[in-house]
Amino acid sequence: MKRVLLRNRIAAILLIISITGGYSFGQTPSTIVEDFQPSSVNQPGKEFPKVNSEGRVRTQIKARDAHKVQLDIGAVKYDLVKDTSGVWTGESAPQDEGFHYYQLWVDGAAVPDPGSLYFYGASRWGSGIEIPAKDQDFYALKNVPHGELREVQYFSASSKSVRRAFIYTPPGYEKDNSKRYPVLYLQHGMGENETGWGNQGHANLIMDNLIADGKAVPFIIVMENGSVKFDRPRQPKPETNAKTDATTKKPAGPMGGFDFAGEFKNILLNDLIPYVEANYRVIGDMNHRAMAGLSMGGMQTRLITLANPDKFSQVGMFSGGSISMDDLTNTPDFKKNVKLLFISYGSRELEKPRGGFGGDPKANTEAVKAAGMNTHFYVSPQTAHEWQSWRRSLKEFAQLLFKN
Amino acid sequence: MKRVLLRNRIAAILLIISITGGYSFGQTPSTIVEDFQPSSVNQPGKEFPKVNSEGRVRTQIKARDAHKVQLDIGAVKYDLVKDTSGVWTGESAPQDEGFHYYQLWVDGAAVPDPGSLYFYGASRWGSGIEIPAKDQDFYALKNVPHGELREVQYFSASSKSVRRAFIYTPPGYEKDNSKRYPVLYLQHGMGENETGWGNQGHANLIMDNLIADGKAVPFIIVMENGSVKFDRPRQPKPETNAKTDATTKKPAGPMGGFDFAGEFKNILLNDLIPYVEANYRVIGDMNHRAMAGLSMGGMQTRLITLANPDKFSQVGMFSGGSISMDDLTNTPDFKKNVKLLFISYGSRELEKPRGGFGGDPKANTEAVKAAGMNTHFYVSPQTAHEWQSWRRSLKEFAQLLFKN
């Protein structure tokens, strides 16, 4: 009888874990592996947060007078426990490999963890943590020739303001003043900005390492802020005047009708690309111009490249939609001009059927490939809609870029 | 009688204000001017913290279950007051113009304000706020030609590691590949790092604006991390073998004996300068090489330039010591080679007599000037040991640099 109760209790606990993706009882499970190491993205000299070999995050904060402190990661809040000196400590359930945003709650206040470095995502500068990944070597800082990540201010006539971009120039750019380079315009996701690909994406280190290994052609990467605020008053258009070009066309799926590429499209095409081509040693033609992005940035890539099939010859969408046979029918020049089409997702994103933004990405991509386009479909193993999927996507995409 | 009591009470309050530099009673003084505007260094879309025309900081945070929340700025903690919806609000006393680090306390936990951008200083990434200054135009982002702020990774043989530097290249650097530039090596203070001069110092915007106005010669600025950790075990030297060159010589003053320039000196002279001169279009001679720094960076500048009088022809120390007649006697080549010596302080730093690091800076500088050196002494009005003093110092110094 006692055995049955125990078995039932274990089953109940397992059920809760499988539902919540973790536990939130403020108790230390007896199974925790005690091999915690400081996170690689801690502030200088900070011991916490730490990560163990299971991918659990342990954090610690002094809050002598608090009565409830929680670690909030992966959409689950884990209770921390206070010791006699007023220091709170606690752990999360195992997290996927790679980078995750998180925060702390102190008596109802959502605050960054003072131990971590800060990153822009989820529409705020806040804490991030790095779960060591088996393949982390491809974005590690190594003693190889390094490119530069340049913070650049330029005037955008479309937005009537000075805007910021980050521009990666590959190793050797400063040395040989006669060489010109192809360019990739690379976009972040919703709630992120132009700092994301450099800070948490490690785009510069990924490129430095690929170039050192001879696996990628050196190219320039331009990163701007695609979350353009619609500050100017907008006149709603009467139904009959609705524009129907691909950029503003209502896409299928949950974000249908939201014109999230229009304003950024103007900045990109009318201001940023001309600025880059006038100020850097780039090859300023379609065959040497690529666009890619993650999540919202992938959707922007889809809309902008379909609407401008004479501008980009290489297109990448990371967790951000796909190109369907309908798209090719509607935009024959896209099929004619695009020499590389790359679609990727994290494996966990594909665990449930995906529609939206042009339909099922795998089926779409297979059909487009069968129709004769140079198309690649990449799935990042054991990752979700997060940066590890996108770092890996860039690594795969970069090895294919400008080789056709 | 009542009047006398009231007068005594006011006198007592004034006394407390003059002692603490503010108040910390969690009460809103009736004199607060209600013209608060969001700080210019808030996170995107955040309304709080705000600043009013008196320089008071008002912040706000939701913390429903907290019982004590404080704003901690200028070494004073100000109590916030909770409303019925669990939102805490409160103000500081008036702060000096310019940039200040600050933090919040929530039930005993010291945390960054989720409303502000984050800056590295006081040995942590944390909140900063900007009190609008009458002269803020000189570091404002304007529609002028902009230089670049480049994040650079290079290998340092001295530290056996890949290290990061930020390098400012002036407008036009990319355009004319035949032009070569002078270089300023510019250091931060203790508890800060290589990001400080770009992020909170606005060194790039100060230079862009001065160059646009024709007030400064275009030059390159190199910013590295001078807080070098002494990780390697060090053998204490027997007293009789003690080195006595100026770099490791015990300086007068409170930090006497701490070898805080030695390790960084090796990185700077043996690794960073050679890297910069091999990879950028610089004029690699003493006449076109300057060093300056703030606080600890000024002290490092003093020690390194005195010990290497054949390396730098222009020297700036911002709130970081001065050069005495004794220094010139001990290092005749310093007087012979240095074409510009610039010493500066915030006015509030000079309100009490200053010794240390070579004696009273104003008296020293007057003596050195009388001895025939091209010497400038600048005092930033109404500022303390803070970034507004150093922004203004760079602005003044930059207009003198490389013109002699």
Side-chain angles (χ1 to χ4, degrees), chain A residues 43-46 61-68 106-114 116-118 120 123-126 141-144 146-155 162-163 166-167 169 173-175 177 193 199 204-205 208 229 275 278-281, chain B residues 43-46 61-68 106-114 116-118 120 123-126 141-144 146-155 162-163 166-167 169 173-175 177 193 199 204-205 208 229 275 278-281:
Chain A
Q43 294 196 22
K46 294 287 173 71
I61 185 170
K62 184 160 195 170
R64 189 183 294 275
D65 308 318
H67 40 91
K68 187 171 193 178
V106 179
D107 284 352
V111 293
D113 185 337
S116 84
L117 292 178
Y118 304 131
Y120 194 71
S123 299
R124 93 289 183 257
W125 282 96
L141 176 64
K142 299 180 194 176
N143 185 15
V144 296
H146 288 280
E148 297 180 343
L149 193 59
R150 307 180 179 195
E151 183 180 339
V152 171
Q153 319 283 346
Y154 74 102
F155 182 74
V162 178
R163 292 177 57 87
F166 285 89
I167 299 187
T169 52
Y173 183 90
E174 280 294 324
K175 286 282 195 177
N177 282 328
N193 69 11
N199 283 353
N204 50 337
L205 300 180
D208 291 343
K229 287 201 191 83
Y275 179 83
N279 287 279
Y280 296 84
R281 298 196 317 277
Chain B
Q43 294 195 22
K46 293 288 172 70
I61 185 171
K62 184 159 196 172
R64 188 183 296 273
D65 309 317
H67 40 91
K68 186 171 193 176
V106 179
D107 283 352
V111 293
D113 184 338
S116 85
L117 293 179
Y118 304 131
Y120 194 71
S123 300
R124 93 290 183 257
W125 284 95
L141 176 65
K142 299 180 194 177
N143 185 16
V144 297
H146 289 280
E148 297 180 342
L149 192 60
R150 306 179 179 195
E151 184 182 338
V152 171
Q153 320 283 345
Y154 74 102
F155 181 74
V162 178
R163 292 178 57 88
F166 284 90
I167 299 186
T169 52
Y173 183 89
E174 279 294 323
K175 286 282 196 177
N177 281 329
N193 69 11
N199 283 353
N204 51 335
L205 300 180
D208 291 344
K229 288 202 191 85
Y275 179 84
N279 288 279
Y280 295 85
R281 298 196 317 277

